[in-house]
Amino acid sequence: MVVAVPYLLEVTTDAKGVTLKDQLIAYAASLPKAELHLHIEGSLEPELMFTLAQRNHTDIPFKSVEEVRAAYSFSNLQDFLDIYYQGMSVLNTEEDFFDLTMAYLNRVRTDNVRHTEIFFDPQGHTERGVAFDTAIGGILTALSLAKKQFGMTSKLIMCFLRHLPEEGAINTLHAAEPWLDRIDGVGLDSSELGHPPSKFERVFKAARERGLKLAAHAGEEGPPDYVYEALDLLHIDRLDHGNRSLEDDALVKRLVSEQMTLTVCPLSNLKLCVVDDMTAHPLKKMLDLGLRATVNSDDPSYFGGYMNDNFAAVITALDLCQDDIKTLAKNSFRGSFLSEGEIRAHLAAIDLFQ
Ligand code: ADE
Ligand code: ZN
């Protein structure tokens, strides 16, 4: 039987009417995966927002969960960031950060995420009077518990807010000093346009000297030049988003030859109007060009889905085959900050899936 769907000329179904796409979505869901681009503050679900607001007697400008969800309509990155920073105001105690992190870990466990590399935004908290130690303490306790309770491994990446001066990032690195044995890397996030990677050259150099891994958001809204700066001035180990790299053939060639991992976030790209439509998403093209692309959720509570929802969205809209999906799952471990031995073990586990 053949069924017409908007993005494919035809899709075959089996006797029960299960389409090939349904099978691919189930296959992607079943695979072990790593998540490499996840802002823990962006996993704050409206229900938890209300619970924490009540617990801490914090005012929030919403009357119901439905009202919060209705406010999640964005035309660009800045639109989202305004509401994202507002949402954080309910996070005040170590217990709040623990509950937030535990909720994410429990949720993605059901998506077969076996390893996660979590961003957090310390300046989003210290700027409003919440201590660095309060935020990181709660997050780390949850990460340890997830390892003990269900074997999920993790890395923690501390992001600098690029709309603030570099001095704030340097102060944040100093505040992190007592925790550096439990912080794996630094990242660069927030408003991209007008805040190029070059603004953070000194603090990235200091982080590199401390043995930290380096990631940066670049090419989400910013031009290919920002990706060059992240590579040449910040010396990143991983590129967050990187979509606009595709506008520059020489840059693509370089990213392929350096086997740079791109942490691509399909539902985020749709919600922030980086793409007009999921059928226009560049993920398939990235794979075809040989780029080491991965699938991630970015801020799942705000963008409408966790890891497997992102896979389902791209499988539905794009012409991904089973090999592409396997490559995406393998890339998530190849691009992780796990050891070579750990990566090898995860790749072998993926090979057991048919
Ligand atoms: N902070 C949280 N999500 C972000 C994104 N998608 N881009 C930049 N900064 C962010
Ligand atoms: Zn992000």
Side-chain angles (χ1 to χ4, degrees):
M1 188 193 195
V2 170
V3 180
V5 295
Y7 16 77
L8 265 192
L9 287 180
E10 54 188 33
V11 170
T12 51
T13 62
D14 69 9
K16 290 183 189 147
V18 177
T19 67
L20 176 61
K21 295 230 176 207
D22 293 334
Q23 291 171 23
L24 290 176
I25 290 169
Y27 172 69
S30 73
L31 287 177
K33 294 170 289 286
E35 176 140 65
L36 306 181
H37 187 150
L38 177 282
H39 302 264
I40 197 63
E41 296 89 347
S43 71
L44 176 63
E45 290 289 346
E47 289 81 359
L48 184 58
M49 189 188 286
F50 274 92
T51 303
L52 299 185
Q54 267 180 0
R55 189 157 89 189
N56 296 323
H57 311 289
T58 311
D59 279 337
I60 50 171
F62 302 107
K63 288 197 189 64
S64 66
V65 162
E66 292 70 32
E67 212 181 281
V68 181
R69 291 222 159 85
Y72 292 174
S73 168
F74 317 110
S75 330
N76 54 38
L77 175 59
Q78 193 57 51
D79 261 10
F80 154 69
L81 289 169
D82 292 343
I83 207 159
Y84 167 79
Y85 292 122
Q86 191 181 68
M88 281 183 203
S89 67
V90 300
L91 296 165
N92 288 293
T93 67
E94 200 164 316
E95 187 187 10
D96 299 342
F97 286 93
F98 172 83
D99 289 346
L100 171 74
T101 310
M102 218 54 229
Y104 162 74
L105 297 167
N106 273 312
R107 173 62 187 78
V108 292
R109 180 187 177 198
T110 66
D111 282 2
N112 287 312
V113 170
R114 300 284 160 80
H115 174 72
T116 180
E117 306 201 344
I118 290 180
F119 294 133
F120 79 118
D121 281 331
Q123 290 161 285
H125 313 302
T126 53
E127 288 276 308
R128 57 188 176 84
V130 175
F132 183 95
D133 294 6
T134 301
I136 196 168
I139 295 169
L140 284 171
T141 305
L143 296 180
S144 302
L145 191 63
K147 174 82 171 37
K148 228 182 277 161
Q149 279 191 340
F150 42 89
M152 192 188 294
T153 55
S154 57
K155 304 280 178 190
L156 185 58
I157 302 172
M158 172 177 84
C159 283
F160 303 125
L161 298 185
R162 68 200 305 161
H163 67 275
L164 298 175
E166 189 187 32
E167 199 186 342
I170 291 170
N171 292 340
T172 303
L173 188 58
H174 288 148
E177 212 73 62
W179 300 90
L180 285 186
D181 58 331
R182 300 185 68 188
I183 295 174
D184 301 281
V186 299
L188 185 63
D189 66 357
S190 196
S191 323
E192 187 180 8
L193 290 171
H195 303 285
S198 50
K199 183 176 162 186
F200 295 91
E201 208 175 335
R202 282 187 311 151
V203 73
F204 267 66
K205 180 168 182 283
R208 194 165 65 247
E209 286 166 359
R210 285 162 175 75
L212 293 164
K213 293 286 188 185
L214 310 175
H217 285 53
E220 180 184 16
E221 284 188 343
D225 271 0
Y226 283 23
V227 177
Y228 279 112
E229 284 192 11
L231 294 170
D232 294 329
L233 303 181
L234 304 189
H235 304 283
I236 52 167
D237 298 294
R238 200 157 71 202
L239 174 59
D240 295 315
H241 295 293
N243 299 40
R244 289 196 58 193
S245 309
L246 296 187
E247 294 169 22
D248 183 323
D249 292 344
L251 178 56
V252 168
K253 231 172 152 183
R254 175 167 172 194
L255 293 169
V256 171
S257 80
E258 292 181 9
Q259 281 297 280
M260 177 60 63
T261 298
L262 275 65
T263 62
V264 180
C265 305
L267 287 172
S268 162
N269 293 158
L270 185 65
K271 275 288 218 175
L272 300 186
C273 306
V274 168
V275 294
D276 294 335
D277 187 86
M278 197 57 92
T279 59
H281 196 280
L283 183 69
K284 170 70 176 164
K285 186 170 178 205
M286 287 171 169
L287 292 174
D288 290 348
L289 287 165
L291 287 163
R292 188 191 271 174
T294 60
V295 169
N296 307 272
S297 68
D298 205 2
D299 300 281
S301 163
Y302 293 87
F303 300 149
Y306 288 79
M307 174 63 88
N308 286 352
D309 302 310
N310 275 273
F311 267 99
V314 286
I315 292 168
T316 302
L318 305 175
D319 200 7
L320 294 171
C321 65
Q322 186 167 352
D323 265 1
D324 291 329
I325 294 162
K326 194 174 199 175
T327 299
L328 287 165
K330 285 189 164 183
N331 284 351
S332 72
F333 291 105
R334 291 182 181 122
S336 73
F337 296 146
L338 288 165
S339 70
E340 279 182 22
E342 289 167 319
I343 293 171
R344 253 199 316 279
H346 282 293
L347 298 184
I350 291 173
D351 278 329
L352 297 176
F353 282 75
Q354 273 315 310

